[in-house]
């Protein structure tokens, strides 16, 4: 094996978390060598537009770059694109890339995200069946779109719904299949799910809940339809699968790191984002951590916020100012002209308060647990989102009647919070 490279900090995965770790290290004056190694061929870019403005053609790839090429060169951050790590040797402080090259490190930051979870049914690997994770995934979809009239989206989560909204606007006939009894069931309360379902239907989407695909039908080696459990076949030329991700941690687990199914299939990290392996951190979508906004439960978050904030925690530790991860989670999604914004984590809520009327297409859903505000989902209501953050961070206990009163601003309620 050749061993030609060595870096003080080697970051594996050049997505949101990896790029941010390199950026913040330099911002904080870190003087050692830094390499950002990733298997995608391009400069680090924003992933959220992939299912939104990039798919719709409204945002060119150049405007999705996290930083221009000169930024990395000016800060002596070595980019190693198009390279895949295939093995981690923690005791030797070395990784090996797919071409057999060894890369030695002082500290390793594992920021590999995950890959789209695949269907297991017959036809899952046919041409025309797509996951949505990388620029290459979406470029393949865009190339096929001129010959596509009908699309079936499997999975009514954020990515599936965003893709459905874009493709409907592009004039495609879109069917969304959600196995559970409502869309967004994993992340949102029922009023938001029902609102989103109604919006999609109003835009012409054939949205079916409680409906699972049993296989993908093939013609000439490509998908030509989706068969449902009751035997109905939905003809289509494209299938989009949005059923979550599988975190890319197999190599770290094989190297002895803690994690696996009990850690939401991620790699376990402590409050400083350290794995159980020496000098190896993990951040972003792949990192299972005890989250204060989930009552300390070990979870993975799949958001730009979490990627950026965990990257900052690692940079602080490596520059001698260690700090616990304690960032309030936030997330957004755009569908049609709707701006959905979430702050906090709603899992485990025992009550909700509707603030505003969904019929106005501007409302917030406030989640309470034991009388305290734990999260808000805001639809076209930026002010609630901004002001609600303080209620979440302070676990504010507020009379639900007041919370529901849109005449009262949330920031005023924060002051009135008791206990
Ligand atoms: P990633 O950004 O996925 O980066 C990981 C990188 O590591 C990838 O380039 C991967 O190819 C690479 N890699 C993996 N294994 C290896 C290996 N062995 N060797 C080398 N490289 C490797 N979040 C929001 O907050 N709001 C949104 O609106 C939103 N929309 C989204 C829309 C889409 C279509 C997608 C896919 C995600 C969206 N997200 C959104 C989630 C957000 O993009 C992710 O949470 C974020 O990208 C996570 O950053 P990461 O660095 O952990 O992983």
């Amino acid at each position: 094996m050749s061993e030609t490279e060595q870096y003080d900090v080697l970051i594996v995965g050049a997505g949101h978390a990896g790029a941010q770790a390199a950026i913040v290290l330099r911002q904080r004056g870190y003087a050692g060598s830094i390499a950002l190694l990733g298997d995608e061929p391009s400069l680090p870019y924003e992933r959220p537009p992939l299912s939104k403005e990039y798919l719709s053609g409204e945002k060119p790839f150049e405007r999705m770059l996290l930083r221009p090429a000169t930024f990395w060169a000016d800060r002596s951050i070595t980019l190693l694109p198009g390279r895949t790590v295939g093995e981690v040797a923690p005791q030797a402080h070395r990784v090996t890339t797919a071409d057999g090259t060894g890369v030695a490190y002082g500290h390793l930051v594992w920021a590999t995200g995950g890959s789209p979870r695949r269907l297991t049914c017959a036809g899952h690997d046919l041409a025309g069946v797509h996951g949505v994770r990388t620029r290459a995934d979406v470029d393949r979809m865009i190339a096929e779109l001129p010959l596509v009239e009908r699309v079936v989206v499997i999975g009514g989560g954020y990515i599936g719904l965003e893709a459905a909204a874009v493709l409907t606007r592009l004039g495609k006939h879109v069917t969304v299949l959600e196995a559970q009894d409502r869309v967004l069931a994993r992340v949102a309360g029922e009023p938001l799910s029902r609102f989103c379902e109604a919006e999609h239907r109003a835009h012409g989407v054939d949205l079916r809940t409680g409906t699972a695909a049993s296989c993908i039908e093939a013609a000439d080696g490509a998908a030509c339809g989706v068969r449902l459990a009751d035997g109905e076949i939905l003809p289509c030329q494209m299938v989009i699968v949005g059923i979550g991700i599988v975190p890319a941690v197999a190599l770290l687990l094989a190297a002895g790191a803690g994690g696996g199914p009990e850690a939401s299939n991620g790699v376990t990290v402590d409050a400083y984002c350290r794995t159980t392996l020496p000098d190896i951190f993990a951040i972003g979508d792949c990192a299972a951590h005890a989250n204060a906004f989930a009552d300390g439960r070990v979870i993975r978050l799949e958001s730009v916020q979490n990627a950026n904030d965990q990257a900052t925690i690692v940079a602080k530790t490596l520059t001698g100012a260690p700090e616990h991860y304690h960032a309030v989670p936030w997330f957004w999604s755009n569908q049609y002209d709707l701006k959905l914004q979430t702050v906090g984590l709603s899992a485990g809520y025992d009550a909700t308060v509707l603030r505003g009327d969904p019929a106005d297409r501007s409302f917030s859903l406030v989640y309470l647990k034991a009388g305290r505000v734990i999260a808000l989902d805001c639809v076209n209501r930026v002010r609630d989102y901004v002001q609600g953050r303080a209620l979440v961070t302070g676990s504010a206990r507020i009379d639900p009647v007041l919370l529901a009163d849109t005449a009262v601003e949330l920031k005023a309620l924060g002051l009135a919070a008791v206990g």
Side-chain angles (χ1 to χ4, degrees):
M1 177 198 301
S2 60
E3 180 152 325
T4 53
E5 295 163 88
Q6 173 152 8
Y7 300 95
D8 295 314
V9 176
L10 173 64
I11 302 166
V12 175
H16 278 274
Q20 184 73 1
I23 292 167
V24 182
L25 275 169
R26 286 296 187 236
Q27 274 171 358
R28 297 183 57 81
Y30 184 78
S33 56
I34 303 174
L36 186 53
L37 181 154
D39 56 6
E40 293 188 68
S42 40
L43 292 170
Y45 62 91
E46 286 178 70
R47 230 166 268 289
L50 289 176
S51 50
K52 308 179 181 76
E53 311 95 304
Y54 185 65
L55 178 61
S56 68
E58 290 157 297
K59 192 169 201 171
F61 184 72
E62 297 63 46
R63 284 184 42 220
M64 289 160 58
L65 294 180
L66 288 169
R67 295 289 188 281
T70 49
F71 175 92
W72 308 103
D74 290 349
R75 283 155 187 80
S76 299
I77 296 168
T78 304
L79 296 183
L80 302 172
R83 292 180 64 180
T84 306
V85 166
E87 192 183 352
V88 181
Q91 300 310 327
H93 281 58
R94 192 183 63 231
V95 304
T96 307
T97 54
D99 61 4
T101 310
V103 185
Y105 61 81
H107 287 94
L108 178 65
V109 181
W110 195 256
T112 50
S115 50
R117 188 177 294 284
R118 303 178 71 150
L119 295 170
T120 50
C121 64
H124 70 272
D125 52 357
L126 288 166
V129 179
H130 300 270
V132 190
R133 184 72 192 181
T134 62
R135 177 195 188 185
D137 292 338
V138 179
D139 283 347
R140 274 191 292 272
M141 290 167 59
I142 291 172
E144 289 175 21
L145 277 178
L147 296 177
V148 169
E149 277 177 31
R150 305 179 81 86
V151 182
V152 175
V153 176
I154 299 179
Y158 279 119
I159 288 177
L161 292 180
E162 287 175 356
V166 168
L167 294 173
T168 301
R169 272 183 23 218
L170 292 179
K172 310 300 177 191
H173 181 281
V174 180
T175 302
V176 173
L177 305 180
E178 168 53 55
Q180 300 207 45
D181 64 355
R182 60 185 177 93
V183 299
L184 300 176
R186 198 169 56 89
V187 290
E190 185 162 353
L192 185 66
S193 300
R194 298 301 177 216
F195 172 78
C196 287
E197 289 165 6
E199 281 290 324
H200 282 273
R201 288 185 177 125
H203 282 87
V205 174
D206 176 6
L207 191 145
R208 305 186 187 194
T209 55
T211 307
S214 66
C215 73
I216 314 294
E217 298 285 326
D220 300 328
C224 69
V226 174
R227 182 187 288 269
L228 307 180
D230 64 4
E232 181 182 358
I233 295 175
L234 305 172
C236 63
Q237 298 79 40
M238 177 179 282
V239 178
I240 297 176
V241 182
I243 55 172
I245 66 164
V246 178
V249 296
L251 299 178
L252 276 194
L253 300 189
E262 68 281 6
S264 318
N265 292 313
V267 62
T268 307
V269 297
D270 67 9
Y272 302 99
C273 297
R274 295 178 301 201
T275 68
T276 53
L277 296 173
D279 301 321
I280 302 183
F281 298 84
I283 54 177
D285 284 13
C286 68
H289 62 279
N291 193 295
F293 294 89
D295 277 342
R297 277 181 297 112
V298 175
I299 59 168
R300 287 186 309 101
L301 288 175
E302 295 170 16
S303 69
V304 170
Q305 168 276 315
N306 177 65
N308 286 341
D309 287 335
Q310 289 191 327
T312 301
I313 289 296
V314 170
K316 284 186 171 170
T317 298
L318 289 176
T319 50
E323 200 177 273
H324 278 190
Y325 182 62
H326 187 85
V328 61
W330 54 265
F331 187 82
W332 78 94
S333 173
N334 301 331
Q335 295 164 40
Y336 310 107
D337 60 341
L338 300 172
K339 190 174 181 64
L340 285 86
Q341 294 168 294
T342 295
V343 58
L345 297 174
S346 59
Y349 69 90
D350 54 28
T352 56
V353 177
L354 195 54
R355 191 175 152 79
D357 185 353
D360 298 335
R361 305 181 81 244
S362 169
F363 67 98
S364 298
L365 190 60
V366 186
Y367 298 86
L368 303 173
K369 186 173 180 189
R372 297 184 180 277
V373 176
I374 58 168
L376 288 90
D377 281 329
C378 307
V379 177
N380 289 342
R381 234 178 144 86
V382 178
R383 192 177 288 231
D384 278 1
Y385 167 72
V386 172
Q387 297 182 3
R389 171 181 289 255
L391 303 186
V392 173
T393 45
S395 300
R397 184 190 286 279
I398 299 174
D399 182 349
V401 176
L402 284 176
L403 273 177
D405 185 352
T406 52
V408 184
E409 297 229 325
L410 289 181
K411 68 179 175 200
L413 291 180
L415 299 173
V418 287

